[in-house]
């Protein structure tokens, strides 16, 4: 899955040693979606991927690729948002999409352009129920 948002918080780096003796590190961060009603999402990066947060600043627009994973512990369910890629939004993708080209002055407003086919079947009656 992928989502675009604004980086609003970086939480402290966490690290430790697993039961098997391997070292681990993770860092959580919060992004805010760019919708009419913005949502805040706390996600985490694991291992070497935590270094990408050092290159980003608060209020940077980012594209986050992530997986959702839930697990049960003592009868309760916990959900993780595991980011596996976090990239800054490219400057050219922040621009608004190009407006549709204006209709040609040769085509009246009530007619379709020639590239659209029209279908008329005058021999069939109207079968709409209303």
């Amino acid at each position: 899955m992928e989502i675009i948002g604004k980086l609003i918080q970086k939480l402290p780096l966490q690290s430790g040693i697993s039961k098997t003796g391997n070292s681990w590190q993770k860092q959580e961060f919060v992004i805010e979606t760019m919708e009419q009603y913005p949502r805040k999402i706390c996600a985490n990066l694991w291992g070497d991927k935590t270094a990408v947060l050092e290159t980003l600043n608060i209020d940077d627009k980012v594209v986050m690729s992530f997986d959702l994973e839930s697990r049960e512990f003592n009868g309760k369910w916990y959900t993780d948002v595991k980011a596996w890629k976090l990239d800054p939004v490219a400057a050219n993708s922040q621009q608004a999409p190009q407006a549709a080209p204006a209709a040609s002055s040769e085509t009246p407003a009530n007619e379709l352009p020639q590239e659209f086919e029209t279908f008329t079947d005058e021999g069939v009656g109207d079968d709409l129920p209303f």
Side-chain angles (χ1 to χ4, degrees):
M1 289 188 241
E2 195 170 86
I3 195 163
I4 297 175
K6 179 174 63 168
L7 181 65
I8 61 171
Q9 187 175 9
K10 297 182 206 179
L11 299 168
L13 182 69
Q14 302 172 23
S15 61
I17 304 292
S18 69
K19 291 179 186 177
T20 59
N22 298 323
S23 64
W24 60 267
Q25 64 180 10
K26 84 170 184 173
Q27 187 165 7
E28 295 178 323
F29 60 96
V30 181
I31 66 168
E32 186 174 60
T33 62
M34 315 275 285
E35 302 168 333
Q36 181 180 0
Y37 300 105
R39 300 168 193 227
K40 293 181 175 114
I41 302 168
C42 182
N44 55 54
L45 288 165
W46 285 86
D48 296 338
K49 295 177 183 168
T50 58
V52 75
L53 280 174
E54 294 173 15
T55 65
L56 298 171
N57 297 315
I58 300 299
D59 291 331
D60 282 355
K61 292 179 183 165
V62 295
V63 177
M64 178 178 70
S65 300
F66 64 97
D67 292 321
L68 294 175
E69 183 179 349
S70 295
R71 65 191 186 296
E72 185 264 338
F73 180 73
N74 290 338
K76 290 189 177 187
W77 283 89
Y78 300 90
T79 300
D80 278 338
V81 180
K82 294 184 177 183
W84 48 271
K85 187 176 180 184
L86 190 63
D87 292 323
V89 172
N92 60 359
S93 67
Q94 291 178 1
Q95 298 173 353
Q98 294 287 336
S104 169
S105 60
E106 298 171 5
T107 305
N110 61 350
E111 291 183 24
L112 292 173
Q114 288 182 348
E115 57 263 11
F116 293 104
E117 292 184 28
T118 58
F119 176 74
T120 58
D121 193 359
E122 297 173 4
V124 177
D126 186 8
D127 61 347
L128 294 176
F130 48 89

